[in-house]
Amino acid sequence: MTARATGRRMRPRLERVALCAAIALASVTACGAPPVVVTPPLVAPQWQHARDAAGGRRDTTWWRGFGDWRLDSLVTLARVASTDLAAASGRLAAAEAALQRTRGSLAPQATARTNATRSRQVIGTFGALDLDVLGATLDASWELDLTGRLRADRRASLAELRAAGYDVVDVRRTITGRVVRGWHDVVGLAARHRATTAAVAMLEETLALVSARARAGVASPIDVEGAAAAVAETRASLPQLHADLVDAVGALAVLAATDVATVTALLDGATLGRALPDVPDAGVPADLLRARPDVRRAEWRVQAAAARVTSARAALRPSFSLAGSVGVNRTNGVGAGIFSVGPSLALPFLDPAARARVVERRAEVLQADAAWRGAVIAAARDVEVAFARARDESERLNTLGMALRRRAVVDTLAQVRWRAGRTDFRDVLEARRACLDAEEAWVRQRVAVAQAVAAMHVALGDPDAGPVAMTTTAPSAGRP
């Protein structure tokens, strides 16, 4: 057969391949997916133009502003050993593996196969024929991704990886806030328990003094019974305070991923200090809200959902692949080479599941977009409420501090006047109860201030970039 005859035979085949390619490319252009437009959520005007009082710089270890090394130890432990953080890190590792998988789908794929068989064929009365077959084949394929489906899958995996990275940062942020609040709950309960124990001891001393005065005929039996009742009423609150303290210590141990003995040991000598982290005087700009890890996580999930829409629509278009195979096959020592290479074209049609998948992916975009908007609105509300609450709680603490000092003066004066015989003992008991109530209210408010300041810093977000380098620019939702 001459080369000219071979060319005439191959020309119709090549023309058919070119025609199929032209039809496929036309269908790719005709089936172009409209871009998925995601508009940014609206933020209140006061957040769009607010001034950053910290000058754009915030302390990444704000809890150290409390000046308590015990709290610093617990926060450091929780940010390393928390089970919630371990779960978030596992999700991050899974997202990274998914990204590697989608990246690998863009590269050529190769598979090696070998086979060895021995068979015997009986040929009537002529005997049997033994066949020993040995073979080895290397198959390779490469999808050209002219429709952009594989690249869209890669962008979706990258966005999910970024979202998982911000998820780790968000878990770290919330764990820090919960540990700070839990620690102040524990320290506040311990302070109330110590104050109540001291009050019981003081009331017992008063009871002894009243009893002595009654035996001397200076005090009445009513005063003795009143003093005894005050001792019993105050002592009755100790078991409940101890039970609340045990519960708070256990909850804090779970948060910090440690045992109760460690928290109890740290509690020894801990007091409610006067130091507090700085409270900014003004709000934060809208750009700072985007630093909230939960907002950034929701934003990247919108990008991932949009990329999955592009991938689902690309699956409705023709796909092109190059495939080849090379190998050798030997039968009873006689070998023959195998070689094949050529393009492959797949024209999907009559696939209602694929079209339904596009509708499903678009619904996921709407869900992710709603979650993103909700996260921005919630972040703005959290920050504004946290700032207002921190200021209000601080003002109330100052007022209660003044009230406590005045109650202490009244208690002292009542004791002096009673010892001098110038007032009734009931005035002493009332002054003592009022002073104990004022002290307990101050302790509760001191805890509330610390927790409000912690909530404010948690609402501002953690400026750490997290374990994943967040330097990749978010892909546009409308580009394939």
Side-chain angles (χ1 to χ4, degrees):
M1 182 182 295
T2 64
R4 183 174 300 175
T6 303
R8 285 196 301 268
R9 283 192 170 188
M10 292 295 296
R11 189 175 298 112
R13 298 180 184 178
L14 294 176
E15 291 175 353
R16 287 195 296 270
V17 172
L19 178 61
C20 291
I23 294 174
L25 288 175
S27 64
V28 169
T29 305
C31 297
V36 180
V37 179
V38 180
T39 58
L42 296 177
V43 183
Q46 62 266 28
W47 290 103
Q48 295 175 359
H49 306 292
R51 176 177 59 88
D52 186 0
R57 299 183 300 274
R58 288 188 290 113
D59 188 7
T60 60
T61 56
W62 54 266
W63 62 90
R64 292 179 180 171
F66 290 105
D68 192 343
W69 64 267
R70 301 173 180 84
L71 174 60
D72 188 24
S73 300
L74 280 177
V75 170
T76 302
L77 180 61
R79 288 166 70 97
V80 173
S82 171
T83 54
D84 293 339
L85 190 60
S89 299
R91 293 190 292 269
L92 177 64
E96 187 173 2
L99 176 61
Q100 297 299 326
R101 174 176 53 80
T102 54
R103 283 177 174 172
S105 62
L106 288 167
Q109 311 293 319
T111 304
R113 294 179 296 172
T114 61
N115 65 292
T117 60
R118 168 171 288 186
S119 61
R120 169 172 291 187
Q121 297 181 2
V122 178
I123 307 175
T125 59
F126 297 97
L129 176 63
D130 294 329
L131 296 176
D132 294 329
V133 180
L134 300 175
T137 307
L138 177 63
D139 299 323
S141 62
W142 182 22
E143 185 174 350
L144 299 182
D145 194 32
L146 298 180
T147 63
R149 179 180 63 84
L150 299 180
R151 293 193 299 275
D153 288 339
R154 183 185 61 181
R155 285 199 310 277
S157 297
L158 177 60
E160 289 292 351
L161 176 62
R162 298 304 188 218
Y166 278 112
D167 185 45
V168 173
V169 180
D170 189 54
V171 170
R172 187 187 299 127
R173 173 183 70 102
T174 55
I175 285 176
T176 301
R178 291 168 63 190
V179 169
V180 171
R181 292 192 294 268
W183 171 254
H184 283 92
D185 275 335
V186 169
V187 175
L189 286 170
R192 290 170 56 194
H193 191 276
R194 288 194 301 268
T196 304
T197 303
V200 169
M202 184 177 296
L203 288 173
E204 287 177 345
E205 293 178 1
T206 304
L207 174 60
L209 180 59
V210 171
S211 300
R213 291 171 64 90
R215 287 192 297 270
V218 179
S220 66
I222 297 179
D223 295 340
V224 176
E225 294 300 325
V231 171
E233 291 170 354
T234 307
R235 184 183 287 116
S237 61
L238 287 175
Q240 184 60 47
L241 284 174
H242 184 267
D244 293 343
L245 179 60
V246 171
D247 290 342
V249 168
L252 183 58
V254 172
L255 282 176
T258 185
D259 51 49
V260 174
T262 300
V263 178
T264 304
L266 289 173
L267 192 59
D268 185 20
T271 59
L272 287 172
R274 300 283 180 175
L276 286 172
D278 293 334
V279 179
D281 296 330
V284 293
D287 288 341
L288 193 54
L289 288 179
R290 295 187 71 250
R292 286 255 307 212
D294 53 341
V295 175
R296 299 305 304 276
R297 176 184 59 198
E299 182 180 357
W300 279 105
R301 284 177 177 169
V302 172
Q303 304 296 340
R308 283 192 288 267
V309 171
T310 303
S311 174
R313 291 189 64 89
L316 299 176
R317 309 170 196 168
S319 60
F320 299 86
S321 300
L322 293 178
S325 178
V326 61
V328 63
N329 193 6
R330 299 178 64 86
T331 303
N332 291 341
V334 179
I338 302 173
F339 175 79
S340 64
V341 63
S344 173
L345 173 64
L347 298 172
F349 63 95
L350 295 180
D351 191 354
R355 298 185 180 277
R357 193 174 299 114
V358 174
V359 178
E360 179 184 359
R361 298 307 187 202
R362 284 189 169 275
E364 291 176 356
V365 170
L366 296 179
Q367 296 174 19
D369 181 55
W372 178 31
R373 295 171 181 273
V376 172
I377 295 172
R381 178 187 59 82
D382 289 347
V383 173
E384 190 160 359
V385 170
F387 269 78
R389 184 186 173 195
R391 289 191 295 266
D392 295 342
E393 297 290 2
S394 298
E395 293 177 0
R396 187 166 186 267
L397 179 64
N398 294 332
T399 303
L400 288 176
M402 294 175 58
L404 176 59
R405 289 191 293 270
R406 293 183 180 275
R407 285 296 180 185
V409 172
V410 172
D411 182 45
T412 302
L413 292 176
Q415 290 281 349
V416 171
R417 290 175 59 84
W418 175 70
R419 292 174 186 271
R422 300 175 60 182
T423 187
D424 191 74
F425 185 70
R426 284 174 295 182
D427 296 337
V428 176
L429 293 180
E430 290 177 3
R432 171 50 50 186
R433 290 193 184 99
C435 186
L436 291 176
D437 292 342
E439 185 176 3
E440 182 175 0
W442 184 88
V443 171
R444 289 177 179 270
Q445 189 59 29
R446 178 62 181 79
V447 173
V449 168
Q451 293 180 343
V453 172
M456 181 198 66
H457 284 278
V458 170
L460 290 177
D462 193 337
D464 283 343
V468 177
M470 303 297 178
T471 56
T472 303
T473 304
S476 173
R479 291 200 302 267

